[in-house]
Amino acid sequence: MKTYSPEETRALGRRLARQLCAGDVLLLWGNLGAGKSEMTRGIAEGLGVAGPVTSPSFTIMNMYDDGRVPLYHFDWYRLESAEELYEMGMEEYLGGDGVAVVEWPSQCPEAIPETHLAIRLEPSGENEREITFEPMGDFREILFD
């Protein structure tokens, strides 16, 4: 799919959120500025999160529990090792009672669950993004109308 603005990327995230349920894990792949945070904001809006959604760059995870299911927003960019994730009880959040969205999963490949939705965001212009959705493991097919 292609989006042509940050607003369209958020709108695609809102549409995706309608199909998400507790236990879903989404991995966002893309370079700095690819639109990962915009996609996450759209997912949060689609889940009914009311407040602002900010990147958890320094806290590793932000939790939003005011939507229809909790949203666990991870940013693994600054991780030194998977040990940090296990110390914070990551396994409770990945595949748990909410939707987990992980930015920068490449920083900790050993912590990636087998079943997840890989979302790749590739800039193809100043505001254009090519976005692909690839179910991995037993993750179900995602369909957009």
Side-chain angles (χ1 to χ4, degrees), residues 73-89:
H73 180 198
F74 288 90
D75 185 331
W76 291 358
Y77 187 75
R78 298 187 192 291
L79 284 179
E80 301 287 326
S81 72
E83 188 69 26
E84 290 178 73
L85 290 171
Y86 295 111
E87 286 173 6
M88 67 181 285

Side-chain angles (χ1 to χ4, degrees), residues 15-16 19-20 24 117 133 135 139-144:
R15 288 173 54 205
L16 171 62
Q19 301 181 57
L20 299 177
D24 286 347
L117 179 64
F133 300 89
F139 203 96
R140 70 200 167 281
E141 188 74 24
I142 296 294
L143 302 172
F144 292 98

Side-chain angles (χ1 to χ4, degrees), residues 31-90:
N31 293 330
L32 196 62
K36 297 180 299 295
S37 293
E38 290 300 332
M39 175 65 69
T40 302
R41 285 184 192 100
I43 292 167
E45 291 169 9
L47 291 175
V49 173
V53 173
T54 58
S55 182
S57 296
F58 296 99
T59 59
I60 301 175
M61 183 190 78
N62 287 339
M63 179 174 69
Y64 305 93
D65 58 5
D66 59 337
R68 67 175 171 82
V69 296
L71 172 63
Y72 305 112
H73 180 198
F74 288 90
D75 185 331
W76 291 358
Y77 187 75
R78 298 187 192 291
L79 284 179
E80 301 287 326
S81 72
E83 188 69 26
E84 290 178 73
L85 290 171
Y86 295 111
E87 286 173 6
M88 67 181 285
M90 173 201 63

Side-chain angles (χ1 to χ4, degrees), residues 65-137:
D65 58 5
D66 59 337
R68 67 175 171 82
V69 296
L71 172 63
Y72 305 112
H73 180 198
F74 288 90
D75 185 331
W76 291 358
Y77 187 75
R78 298 187 192 291
L79 284 179
E80 301 287 326
S81 72
E83 188 69 26
E84 290 178 73
L85 290 171
Y86 295 111
E87 286 173 6
M88 67 181 285
M90 173 201 63
E91 57 277 349
E92 179 183 332
Y93 303 109
L94 291 185
D97 66 344
V99 171
V101 175
V102 179
E103 294 187 40
W104 298 104
S106 58
Q107 294 300 105
C108 206
E110 63 271 27
I112 294 174
E114 183 179 321
T115 296
H116 65 271
L117 179 64
I119 302 172
R120 299 184 195 289
L121 298 100
E122 295 285 335
S124 55
E126 187 175 328
N127 290 310
E128 295 175 16
R129 302 291 181 263
E130 187 66 43
I131 303 172
T132 58
F133 300 89
E134 184 180 1
M136 306 297 285

